[in-house]
Amino acid sequence: IEEFADWKNKNEQYFEAAFLAHDYDVALRKYSLSDDVDTEHTDYVLVNKIDEEEDAPDACPYLNDTVQVHYVGHLIPSPSFSEGYQFDQSYLQPFDYDTAVPSKFVVNGLTVGFATAVQKMHRGDVWIVTVPYQLGYGTSDNGSIPAYSTLIFEIRLEDFWMKKRGDRY
């Protein structure tokens, strides 16, 4: 059995079923789409809010900001990976603040789906974000990630700052 046989169809079915089930806290529209544009379900990322910082200021990162995040990324379940193949991480599970080292990214250098989510997060938020392949790596392989992969991330937004400040590069 090939690990990712019929992968495009499996990922399309997985994301569509998740979208239609409404088993998520919020669906976020792709950040680059204005409200007057008609959309399809693949123009959204699905978010389950695990932890929200109640005292967070209203500020969220902008597209040109740098974010400092802890994250784990995996694919949908497959024959060998019942929890989905884990393709990247910034910490070992279970999460431990004493050993975890956050990663820094410029938001506009991330996949559209990841960027869409972090631009709505506040410092301290922990979200599970499901990204359709159209807002991930699309129809191309990316390292160990096969083309047409739905991406599922646990994201912890630690901090963010504007490029012009330049105090944390």
Side-chain angles (χ1 to χ4, degrees):
I1 184 167
E2 185 185 337
E3 189 67 35
F4 303 115
D6 199 26
W7 197 237
K8 178 182 178 188
N9 287 332
K10 288 178 182 175
N11 279 270
E12 287 175 345
Q13 291 170 5
Y14 180 94
F15 189 81
E16 183 175 11
F19 185 84
L20 294 174
H22 297 286
D23 189 22
Y24 47 86
D25 296 323
V26 65
L28 299 175
R29 179 192 292 251
K30 176 177 151 182
Y31 72 81
S32 61
L33 292 179
S34 64
D35 290 340
D36 61 344
V37 173
D38 288 337
T39 59
E40 298 191 23
H41 67 282
T42 55
D43 290 320
Y44 292 85
V45 297
L46 309 180
V47 174
N48 286 305
K49 298 178 180 182
I50 305 304
D51 193 15
E52 284 191 285
E53 192 60 40
E54 292 185 23
D55 296 329
D58 291 334
C60 295
Y62 291 116
L63 190 61
N64 289 323
D65 288 350
T66 296
V67 293
Q68 191 171 33
V69 296
H70 294 288
Y71 70 96
V72 173
H74 60 92
L75 306 178
I76 65 171
S78 64
S80 300
F81 302 96
S82 61
E83 300 291 320
Y85 169 71
Q86 184 174 308
F87 59 84
D88 202 4
Q89 65 190 44
S90 68
Y91 62 89
L92 298 175
Q93 293 179 311
F95 184 78
D96 180 354
Y97 269 111
D98 293 332
T99 60
V101 178
S103 297
K104 292 180 187 176
F105 302 105
V106 177
V107 176
N108 65 18
L110 298 166
T111 64
V112 172
F114 198 115
T116 295
V118 296
Q119 289 181 86
K120 298 294 186 182
M121 295 179 78
H122 298 97
R123 287 176 185 93
D125 285 354
V126 180
W127 290 3
I128 303 293
V129 179
T130 304
V131 179
Y133 74 82
Q134 294 88 342
L135 303 183
Y137 294 111
T139 60
S140 301
D141 293 343
N142 187 294
S144 63
I145 303 170
Y148 304 106
S149 290
T150 297
L151 308 175
I152 303 167
F153 293 99
E154 177 177 310
I155 305 170
R156 298 168 180 268
L157 180 62
E158 292 299 316
D159 203 0
F160 64 92
W161 51 93
M162 294 182 286
K163 183 176 182 180
K164 67 181 179 183
R165 274 186 45 197
D167 62 344
R168 299 186 202 177
Y169 283 104

